[in-house]
């Protein structure tokens, strides 16, 4: 059950990041390019922060013992 909640939380966060990115594209193309640039910087910063947070919480370390036969 705990794993299902983690996966659901990741899905929700990724969907929100996608909406943020799409809204910044909308701002840049339809409203004002300055707002779009600001939105792109904020959304890309949020994506980088999310990736770093996920990598920090779950380091990827594969050794020969982990692979199995």
């Amino acid at each position: 059950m705990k794993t299902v909640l983690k996966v659901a939380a990741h899905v929700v966060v990724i969907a929100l990041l996608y909406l943020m990115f799409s809204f910044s594209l909308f701002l840049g193309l339809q409203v004002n390019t300055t707002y779009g640039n600001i939105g792109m910087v904020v959304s890309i910063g949020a994506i980088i922060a999310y990736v770093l947070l996920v990598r920090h919480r779950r380091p990827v370390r594969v050794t020969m013992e982990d692979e199995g036969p």
Side-chain angles (χ1 to χ4, degrees), residues 9-27 39-40 42-48 50-51:
H10 285 292
V11 169
V12 168
V13 169
I14 291 170
L16 290 174
L17 288 171
Y18 172 75
L19 287 174
M20 180 190 306
F21 185 76
S22 296
F23 187 68
S24 67
L25 285 176
F26 164 75
L27 286 176
M40 290 297 275
V42 170
S43 63
I44 290 172
I47 291 169
I48 290 171
Y50 174 70
V51 169

Side-chain angles (χ1 to χ4, degrees), residues 61-69:
R61 294 183 188 157
V62 178
T63 62
M64 294 300 284
E65 293 85 26
D66 293 339
E67 292 181 2

